[in-house]
Amino acid sequence: MSGMTIRVLIADDQEMVRAAFRMILDSQPDMQVVAEAADGVTAVELARRLRPDVCLLDIRMPELDGLEATRLLAGPGVQGPLNVLIATTFDLDEYVYSALRNGACGFLLKDGAPGLLTEAVRAAAAGNSLISPSVTVRLLAHMAPHRSRPAAAEARPVRTAKAGPDGLVEPLTQRELDVVRLVARGRTNEELAAELYVTLSTVKTHLGNVQRKLAARNRVEIAAWAWENGICTGDQG
């Protein structure tokens, strides 16, 4: 995205939230809010027509909620999926899991600092699914104890049907598990390389193998799988 303007669509039923997000994003030299929507149906229509670089969606919206809007814009089987960034609060954690399964590439806390918003949008536009690592990790870790609840226990790929990595058709190697654990802890590729004493290209190779074995579309799904299956239990951040 270097040298290009990141085009953003904002969807939230609260006008004050949309105004705040617009003010923050439009103040950035590399960002432009190209559309706003107060409900999910309008958001999907605008996103499909304008194809923004990032769709910033609230979860609770009239007509069509953010979960279903995410599925329509970025879910499995969608041709030319868009980058969807979910704006959420901790009391909606159970829904965030569904958003992830519907194709969301990251999460943002509404009450977070403006810098986190711009960081998250830039990361999403660049195709980097590990958005605001501390936020993503806190959300996933917070969800882990509740993964048996209905919202978190809906239909999943076979790869997560068992409670551990041995449930995979092709097991992860120990080094791949090390990578998964660090990804779930919010580490960047550079930090992975430094902590594992390997090159950046080796890290990318491991990540590619992990995504293939887990059938994961992005790093957020890798992190969710790790928390879901207790890979991070007992880890220190």
Side-chain angles (χ1 to χ4, degrees), residues 3-233:
M4 298 177 63
T5 298
I6 300 172
R7 302 165 63 252
V8 184
L9 176 149
I10 300 172
D12 196 294
D13 61 343
Q14 298 182 54
E15 185 176 355
M16 289 183 62
V17 172
R18 297 198 308 273
F21 283 167
R22 173 185 279 276
M23 179 179 67
I24 294 169
L25 298 177
D26 276 344
S27 70
Q28 300 298 305
D30 60 339
M31 296 182 189
Q32 177 187 9
V33 175
V34 296
E36 291 184 26
D39 63 81
V41 170
T42 303
V44 171
E45 291 175 350
L46 288 172
R48 286 174 169 171
R49 176 161 57 86
L50 300 175
R51 296 200 61 80
D53 299 303
V54 177
C55 300
L56 179 58
L57 306 183
D58 184 22
I59 290 183
R60 288 181 173 173
M61 293 187 291
E63 304 296 334
L64 189 72
D65 67 28
L67 302 179
E68 182 63 14
T70 298
R71 187 186 68 80
L72 293 173
L73 296 175
V78 172
Q79 296 295 319
L82 295 168
N83 296 315
V84 175
L85 179 61
I86 294 293
T88 187
T89 53
F90 274 124
D91 62 343
L92 296 180
D93 277 353
E94 294 166 18
Y95 301 116
V96 173
Y97 187 96
S98 296
L100 185 151
R101 291 303 177 202
N102 285 351
C105 65
F107 315 112
L108 178 75
L109 298 183
K110 282 187 176 181
D111 59 357
L116 284 179
L117 173 61
T118 55
E119 174 194 347
V121 169
R122 288 192 181 97
N128 182 355
S129 297
L130 189 62
I131 295 176
S132 301
S134 62
V135 172
T136 301
V137 167
R138 286 168 66 192
L139 282 168
L140 293 173
H142 188 73
M143 284 189 292
H146 309 293
R147 59 181 179 270
S148 61
R149 293 182 181 181
E154 58 191 27
R156 306 171 185 162
V158 175
R159 60 188 169 83
T160 58
K162 297 186 179 180
D166 291 337
L168 298 173
V169 174
E170 185 178 355
L172 299 179
T173 66
Q174 184 57 52
R175 182 41 62 98
E176 287 166 354
L177 283 172
D178 292 339
V179 168
V180 167
R181 191 173 291 110
L182 291 175
V183 165
R185 285 295 176 187
R187 304 300 195 264
T188 64
N189 282 3
E190 289 75 13
E191 290 169 338
L192 280 168
E195 292 192 39
L196 297 177
Y197 301 101
V198 297
T199 65
L200 195 57
S201 61
T202 298
V203 167
K204 292 179 179 178
T205 297
H206 286 316
L207 281 173
N209 290 336
V210 167
Q211 283 191 240
R212 175 179 55 81
K213 291 180 178 182
L214 299 184
R217 288 172 294 176
N218 51 51
R219 293 172 72 117
V220 173
E221 287 197 351
I222 292 174
W225 180 88
W227 286 107
E228 184 180 44
N229 288 285
I231 303 302
C232 301
T233 302

